Amino acid sequence: MSRENILQAAALIFQQKGYHATSMQDIADAVDLKKGSLYHYVESKQDILFALLNEALELILERLESVAVQQIPPEQKLRQATRAYFSFLAENPSLSSVLLLEYRSLEEDYQKLHIPRRDQVEQIWQKCIVEGIKLGVFHDQEPGLVSKALLGVLNWTITWYREDGPLSANQIADQFMDLFLIGLLTRNNR
C-alpha cells in the first residue's frame, strides 16, 4: 500500500460520491485497509483533498509551462495550451473532477495555500493572451476575462466528455480553439 494508491482511490470516490458524502471508511475500504491504518498514510480527509488538488495543479502547470516557453505565434501557443490542458482533463477524469468541483470543500487554511497555485494556471493563459494582444494578433480584450471564458468552456467538459466518444480530446480542443480564435483574432489575422 502506498499514499499514491490511497489518493487515487480517494479521487475516484470523491468523483463518484462527492467530497462531503465520502467517509474515511469509504476510502479505507477501497484500498483494503482498516480505517485506523489509513491514518498511517494520511492525516485527514482534508489532507487527502489538498494533496489531490496539488497533484492536479502540478501536472497542469507542468504541461502549460512547457507550452508557454515555446517561441511560437500566440494563436499556436493558445491552441497547444488548450490541447495540453484538455488532454489532462481527459486523461485524468477523477483528478480533474476533484480539482474543478471539490476545491470549495477546502478549509480556510488549505484554501490560502491552494488559491495562489490555482492562480498560476490562469496567469499562464493570461500571458498567452497578452502576448497576442501586444503583437496585434488578438483583439485588445481583458486578458483575465478571456482566460476565464476559455477555462470555463474547457472545465465544463468534465461533465460530458467520454473517451469513447466520436471525437478525440485533441479534436475537441482544436474545435474549441477554432471557435475561440475566430472571435479573438483581429480581422487582418483571420
Side-chain angles (χ1 to χ4, degrees):
M1 184 52 51
S2 70
R3 180 176 164 88
E4 186 56 37
N5 295 125
I6 293 166
L7 293 177
Q8 288 175 353
L12 183 59
I13 298 167
F14 289 168
Q15 178 190 23
Q16 294 168 346
K17 293 178 74 170
Y19 173 81
H20 291 293
T22 300
S23 69
M24 289 296 275
Q25 187 64 57
D26 292 332
I27 298 167
D29 290 345
V31 293
D32 292 325
L33 283 177
K34 293 187 185 225
K35 185 176 169 184
S37 299
L38 188 59
Y39 290 101
H40 173 71
Y41 299 95
V42 295
E43 293 178 25
S44 65
K45 195 164 74 161
Q46 276 290 296
D47 178 49
I48 293 171
L49 178 59
F50 185 65
L52 289 170
L53 295 174
N54 275 342
E55 180 182 346
L57 288 176
E58 193 62 40
L59 292 169
I60 290 169
L61 284 167
E62 184 179 294
R63 289 178 187 214
L64 291 179
E65 287 169 347
S66 71
V67 172
V69 298
Q70 294 180 34
Q71 298 299 315
I72 55 177
E75 65 273 20
Q76 288 179 17
K77 190 176 286 190
L78 207 55
R79 183 177 298 276
Q80 286 189 20
T82 300
R83 279 182 158 208
Y85 187 80
F86 189 69
S87 68
F88 168 81
L89 297 178
E91 293 164 14
N92 301 281
S94 297
L95 197 55
S96 298
S97 177
V98 172
L99 176 67
L100 299 173
L101 301 176
E102 300 297 344
Y103 71 92
R104 291 184 183 112
S105 299
L106 278 178
E107 293 170 358
E108 186 177 344
D109 289 344
Y110 283 111
Q111 278 188 9
K112 288 177 183 176
L113 298 171
H114 171 71
I115 291 173
R117 300 274 331 262
R118 184 196 66 195
D119 290 349
Q120 285 180 295
V121 172
E122 192 172 332
Q123 288 167 3
I124 291 173
W125 292 99
Q126 288 181 24
K127 286 179 184 175
C128 290
I129 294 161
V130 166
E131 181 182 332
I133 291 169
K134 285 182 179 177
L135 292 173
V137 176
F138 297 157
H139 286 290
D140 188 4
Q141 301 290 326
E142 169 53 44
L145 186 60
V146 174
S147 65
K148 282 177 179 36
L150 179 56
L151 286 171
V153 168
L154 292 171
N155 290 344
W156 193 247
T157 61
I158 66 165
T159 64
W160 57 262
Y161 173 76
R162 299 291 172 260
E163 189 176 11
D164 61 349
L167 297 175
S168 71
N170 280 342
Q171 289 172 317
I172 292 169
D174 285 345
Q175 285 194 25
F176 282 163
M177 270 295 88
D178 289 345
L179 290 169
F180 203 81
L181 285 172
I182 289 171
L184 192 58
L185 290 172
T186 60
R187 287 184 183 205
N188 295 338
N189 288 296
R190 287 185 184 164

